[in-house]
Amino acid sequence: MYREHNSQASKRRPAPGRTGRPTGPLVTVRLPDGRLVQGEHLADGPAGGRPADASGHQQTLVLMSPPGGPRYPRRRRWFHIIPRWVRWTAVLVIVGVIFRRAVAWAVLAALSGALHLFGASLHLPHVTFGWPWSSSTTATTDVGPLVLQKIEGVDKPALGTTTFNFLFTHSVSKPMGVLPCWYSATFYAVGRASATVNLNPGPSWWKPSTGHYVLRVLSKPTATAPGTVSVALSLPLPQLPQSVHDVSVDNTLSKPVSSDHSWTYPGLACGVLIKPQFSQSVLYAQAQGVAFQQATTLKSVTQPLIAAAERQASTIINGNFITPTLAALNYKVSQFTIHWVIPPAST
């Protein structure tokens, strides 16, 4: 046991004359990159540490590969194989697809500005600005009340102005004992009358249960074309003039047509009592009363008056309120109708 231990210890100890460091001759080492390293020890060989060349001169060793073994080139990743311009093009295409609404809006705005600058008139498609996270659909809410309530101070405008002509007679008589004394003149007059239309009957009128406002979406908007809707409204019937102040008489077209008098006129007594110079204010008041009576009872006047008021109301509501509001939501009105109904007594 003792001998065995000593033999193992002797194996671990270096031989005499060796310190554990290379003791071979000094050589010059040329690295693969061309650098020279001076004074490197050559490891001891089987010939007792002598180099192959025994001339005594210091030898130069050339390393063909870097220390630690050959180095292989790194493996390139797959995206480095794709050209840079292809990668940037793909990125721009993806961004353009995601933000297509904003890009289309910006391009059309720039093109419209350029055409306006050069004075060219070209109809460009309508594209609304929008982000990818914003919804492009429009809810079919009751925009009718919201639109019609924008009419401030014109809730009941006078529409459908119609002119009509008529004749009226003004007479004056004075008592002169048993003798008749009177004078009369007939005048031609032109009257003007308008009907009033209640464009905004109030919130209760537009309740969904009444069915006074119906909007149907026929098609939703796309990237190239706006959506289409149909709108149907119900409004109270136009009202005829309510007082004599709602009608007027054109003085420039009114004129006397004929006159008549008693056989005693223009005798001295009757001529002094009656002076046929009628006051303009008296004649106008009488003509206005006759015009009001015809504008509310005579069918040849009331029917054209109501029809004209309905046409003007339809044009105002559709052209000034319904169409612009829906156009801002990228919708086009394909059909618009107004149904005229008799309002309830409380309206």
Side-chain angles (χ1 to χ4, degrees), residues 34-254:
R35 293 181 299 167
L36 296 176
V37 180
Q38 302 288 340
E40 290 290 337
H41 286 280
L42 185 66
D44 294 339
R50 301 295 298 174
D53 187 4
S55 61
H57 297 286
Q58 186 173 355
Q59 298 180 2
T60 300
L61 299 181
V62 179
L63 296 180
M64 299 305 295
S65 62
R71 297 181 179 177
Y72 299 98
R74 293 183 178 180
R75 181 178 298 176
R76 300 179 65 186
R77 297 185 178 181
W78 64 270
F79 56 83
H80 289 293
I81 303 175
I82 303 175
R84 181 174 296 178
W85 67 272
V86 176
R87 287 180 282 169
W88 278 108
T89 303
V91 171
L92 293 177
V93 169
I94 294 174
V95 172
V97 170
I98 296 176
F99 296 92
R100 58 185 179 275
R101 291 177 62 193
V103 172
W105 177 84
V107 170
L108 289 177
L111 183 59
S112 176
L115 293 175
H116 181 73
L117 180 64
F118 290 100
S121 59
L122 182 64
H123 180 70
L124 297 176
H126 176 74
V127 177
T128 57
F129 180 84
W131 297 110
W133 51 84
S134 61
S135 175
S136 60
T137 60
T138 303
T140 58
T141 56
D142 291 341
V143 297
L146 300 178
V147 174
L148 296 180
Q149 286 177 3
K150 294 180 181 179
I151 309 174
E152 298 180 358
V154 199
D155 288 341
K156 293 183 179 181
L159 303 176
T161 301
T162 302
T163 60
F164 53 96
N165 53 63
F166 58 93
L167 297 175
F168 73 97
T169 301
H170 184 69
S171 299
V172 177
S173 62
K174 295 290 184 179
M176 197 180 63
V178 295
L179 299 178
C181 183
W182 56 271
Y183 183 92
S184 67
T186 302
F187 298 88
Y188 169 86
V190 177
R192 299 179 184 273
S194 300
T196 56
V197 182
N198 191 359
L199 299 180
N200 184 15
S204 61
W205 181 266
W206 302 113
K207 288 182 179 180
S209 58
T210 62
H212 292 160
Y213 174 80
V214 179
L215 184 146
R216 290 187 176 92
V217 176
L218 305 179
S219 64
K220 292 187 177 181
T222 62
T224 57
T228 56
V229 298
S230 65
V231 180
L233 295 179
S234 295
L235 287 176
L237 279 169
Q239 289 185 339
L240 295 173
Q242 300 297 303
S243 68
V244 294
H245 302 291
D246 295 335
V247 297
S248 61
V249 178
D250 192 345
N251 286 331
T252 60
L253 298 178
S254 300

Side-chain angles (χ1 to χ4, degrees), residues 180-183 261-267 270-272 274-277:
C181 183
W182 56 271
Y183 183 92
H261 54 81
S262 62
W263 62 270
T264 56
Y265 183 85
C270 189
V272 173
I274 299 177
K275 296 180 180 180
Q277 292 80 17

